[in-house]
Structure formats: structure tokens, C-alpha cells
Amino acid sequence: MEPETGLSKPMAVIACATMAFLYVAILYAPTFILRLPAPSSLKEFMIRRFICVAISSFMSLVLCAFLLPLRKREATYLLGVYGIRLDHFWQAVAFPLSLTSLMYAGSLVFKSLLLVDSWREHMHQGEGFFFNCVKAILQSFLAGLSSTASNVLAWRNYVVVSLVIDRSEITSFKDNLGRCTLTKWLSISIKAPITEELVFRACMIPLLLCGGFDIYVVILLCPILFSLAHLNHWMEIYGRQNYSLLKAFMVVGLQLGYTVIFGSYASFLFIRTGHLVAPLVAHIFCNFMGLPMLFVRRTGIVSLAFIAGAVAFICLLCPITRPHLYNDGTDDCECWHGYCS
């Protein structure tokens, strides 16, 4: 990118805010703009949302390419700006994934304890041969993978799109969801890796950096923009679920707080590595694991594992994300953040 970008800070912020608004607003387009009938099934509802968010992501990529003052307009160079690269791919997958897993040391230890208990139960029931136990575990794992691959909700959670559920759009199939599931869907928005990382990392970060913002400001600003785009959850909780004003703010505040924390971490990974796949794999892993487990009653090993993992995470955060691990240290490096030039 040129040193004199011609992209002002206000223009960069306005562009990012527009993309954040579009990312959420387009989800309501089928109902409020196109006036389409309510979907008859959950699968139809999901597919409709997938299409909407794909359109908004593509529009954000085009807007970003138009505004960024690039040295070259070639497709490969533009993909590099977005962090879509094949070089140093395994480093961008393995290192951030290992780093992120440290924050889930408590959860991983707890799952290991459950696995050991299950193993002992098989032994107690006469299924004591090691081969049979391993076979049962593998069969259960493969069955889970097969179920996940064919489940539209799994594609929502781990691959495609962030969904904001509106009650008016799911009236026709709410009986299939059930009351508890419906309430959960209305109050929680699941982050989705690909589209969110494309819009809120690959597009916004280059724009803000070209606009002249400091790196640490960018790391905080991107997730804040995404969090503000989800304030409509407060209206849903307060206005339609009859929550008190304080309780509605607490529920939404907790969700937005987690979004800001994870978004800052994902932005840090993207800026340090220059690879979109780095925050992407971290995002998928966090969606799969949920919130980190801090403690479990009647055992302190989970808490100790969490503390040890958190300390290791803090100590390794900068060393394991050094830009030279993910880029060739050459003068003609085309990495958009310029660390390796």
C-alpha cells in the first residue's frame, strides 16, 4: 500500500460502520424488504440467511477493494490484502490453534476426566478389552462427525453465518424448535467464522490501518463495531420477552463483552500473522468448545489446569504470533501489514 493513502480516518470508520450495519440488516431483507412469506422449516430459514449474509460479505469485499489504495489491482495481491494466502499455511493453522487451546485447558482436562470415567464404565460392564473400548470411542466420534456434517445448525455455528433470530420469521416452525430452544435462539447470537472473519477482520482492519489508526486502536475498534451491530438483541429481550431493563442490559452486556474480548484476540491474530486462517481456526475452535471452564465442584484439577493454561497463554501470546513465523523476511514481501519488509 502507498504511504500516502488518501483514506481519512472518518471515511474508514464510516465504511466499517456501514459494513457492520449491512451485515446484520440484510438478514431482515427477505421479510421487511422483499416481503417473502415466513419460511416453512428451519432448514429453509437457515438457507435464506446463508444467502443473505453471503451477499453482504461479497458487498463488503467489493467496497473494501474500491476504497483501499492498493499498489496493484491484481486478484492475487488483493487476496493477500484480505489475508487469504497459501504460504505458511500450516503455521497459521497450528500455532494459533495451539495458543487458543491453552485458554481451554480446564475444559480439555474435564473432557479427559469424562473420557476416563466412560472407559472405566466400559471396563466394569465387561467390555474391558482395550480394542473394544477404542472401537466404541471411534464409532461414537465418527457418528458425531457424520451428524454434524449433515446438520444445518452445525454449518451455522461453525462455518457460515451469524444469525439474529426474529420472532416474526420463525412463527411457522416454532413448534418444531420447542419453547426452551426458541428462547435460547432469540437471546443468543452464535458467531460464525467465515463471514464474520471476512467482514470484521479481512475488510475492516486494512481499512482502519490505511486510515491511519494505531494498531492497538484497530484491535479494539473492530470488535466494538461488531458488538454495536448486535444491540438489537436488547430490543428483543426487553421488548418481547418482558425482561426488566436491568436484566436485559446484563444479558446483552455479557454477550457483547465476550464478543469484544474474542474480537480483539481475533484482530490481534490477523494483524500479527497476516493470515485470515489464523483467527478463523481460533473462531471455529471457540465455537466448538463454548466458554472456557473455570472450575468443577469436588475437584480442583480443572481450576488448576485453567490457571496454568491462562498463564501459558499470556506468556506465549506474543512469541507464538511473531510475524516472521508467518511471512518470509524479504524486501519484496507483499504482506499488507508490512512487518516482514
Side-chain angles (χ1 to χ4, degrees):
M1 295 181 187
E2 300 291 349
E4 298 296 333
T5 65
L7 182 64
S8 63
K9 287 184 178 181
M11 183 181 296
V13 172
I14 291 173
C16 292
T18 300
M19 289 188 289
F21 174 78
L22 179 64
Y23 186 79
V24 176
I26 200 171
L27 299 177
Y28 298 98
T31 301
F32 295 102
I33 298 178
L34 301 179
R35 298 295 180 180
L36 297 179
S40 58
S41 65
L42 179 60
K43 184 176 181 179
E44 181 183 343
F45 175 81
M46 293 296 178
I47 293 175
R48 184 181 294 184
R49 286 294 173 91
F50 290 170
I51 295 173
C52 288
V53 82
I55 294 173
S56 67
S57 299
F58 177 76
M59 294 173 64
S60 296
L61 291 171
V62 172
L63 176 62
C64 183
F66 177 77
L67 293 177
L68 286 174
L70 305 177
R71 291 197 300 263
K72 294 180 279 187
R73 293 289 171 177
E74 299 172 358
T76 54
Y77 184 77
L78 184 59
L79 290 176
V81 171
Y82 292 142
I84 303 174
R85 301 158 43 196
L86 293 178
D87 62 287
H88 300 81
F89 185 83
W90 77 266
Q91 293 95 326
V93 172
F95 294 161
L97 184 59
S98 301
L99 180 66
T100 306
S101 65
L102 291 175
M103 287 301 299
Y104 288 89
S107 302
L108 295 173
V109 167
F110 179 70
K111 290 180 182 295
S112 299
L113 293 176
L114 292 179
L115 183 61
V116 170
D117 290 340
S118 177
W119 197 335
R120 289 175 177 174
E121 184 177 349
H122 280 287
M123 297 281 287
H124 181 72
Q125 293 176 354
E127 303 173 6
F129 295 101
F130 177 80
F131 176 77
N132 291 336
C133 293
V134 173
K135 182 179 178 181
I137 292 172
L138 288 177
Q139 288 177 342
S140 177
F141 176 74
L142 292 176
L145 284 181
S146 177
S147 176
T148 300
S150 60
N151 188 349
V152 69
L153 295 182
W155 283 91
R156 178 207 66 170
N157 291 350
Y158 306 132
V159 181
V160 185
V161 56
S162 176
L163 294 180
V164 183
I165 305 300
D166 181 76
R167 189 186 299 268
S168 63
E169 294 192 81
I170 57 177
T171 302
S172 62
F173 56 89
K174 67 180 181 180
D175 292 336
N176 296 329
L177 292 176
R179 185 177 300 274
C180 294
T181 306
L182 177 62
T183 302
K184 182 178 180 181
W185 274 61
L186 289 169
S187 61
I188 298 178
S189 171
I190 302 296
K191 294 181 178 180
I194 292 180
T195 57
E196 184 181 328
E197 297 306 324
L198 277 174
V199 175
F200 292 91
R201 249 65 74 181
C203 291
M204 290 190 182
I205 289 178
L207 283 173
L208 293 173
L209 290 177
C210 278
F213 285 95
D214 184 77
I215 287 178
Y216 296 102
V217 174
V218 173
I219 289 174
L220 291 176
L221 189 55
C222 283
I224 288 175
L225 286 170
F226 179 72
S227 297
L228 293 178
H230 284 67
L231 286 178
N232 59 327
H233 288 185
W234 180 83
M235 294 298 297
E236 173 65 34
I237 294 174
Y238 177 65
R240 298 186 179 182
Q241 297 191 37
N242 297 321
Y243 276 38
S244 66
L245 185 63
L246 178 61
K247 188 174 182 179
F249 272 119
M250 290 178 62
V251 172
V252 175
L254 178 62
Q255 180 187 1
L256 298 188
Y258 175 77
T259 301
V260 169
I261 293 173
F262 174 80
S264 298
Y265 173 59
S267 299
F268 178 84
L269 287 177
F270 183 72
I271 290 176
R272 292 277 287 180
T273 66
H275 266 278
L276 183 62
V277 72
L280 182 61
V281 295
H283 202 152
I284 294 174
F285 183 77
C286 289
N287 277 8
F288 179 77
M289 295 295 295
L291 292 175
M293 185 170 291
L294 306 183
F295 68 95
V296 175
R297 292 181 180 179
R298 292 175 295 184
T299 178
I301 189 172
V302 172
S303 299
L304 290 176
F306 171 78
I307 294 173
V311 172
F313 176 86
I314 295 173
C315 294
L316 295 174
L317 180 60
C318 289
I320 209 171
T321 59
R322 286 181 300 170
H324 290 291
L325 294 175
Y326 307 89
N327 304 279
D328 293 323
T330 58
D331 293 336
D332 59 345
C333 176
E334 294 183 349
C335 180
W336 61 262
H337 53 51
Y339 273 119
C340 48
S341 62

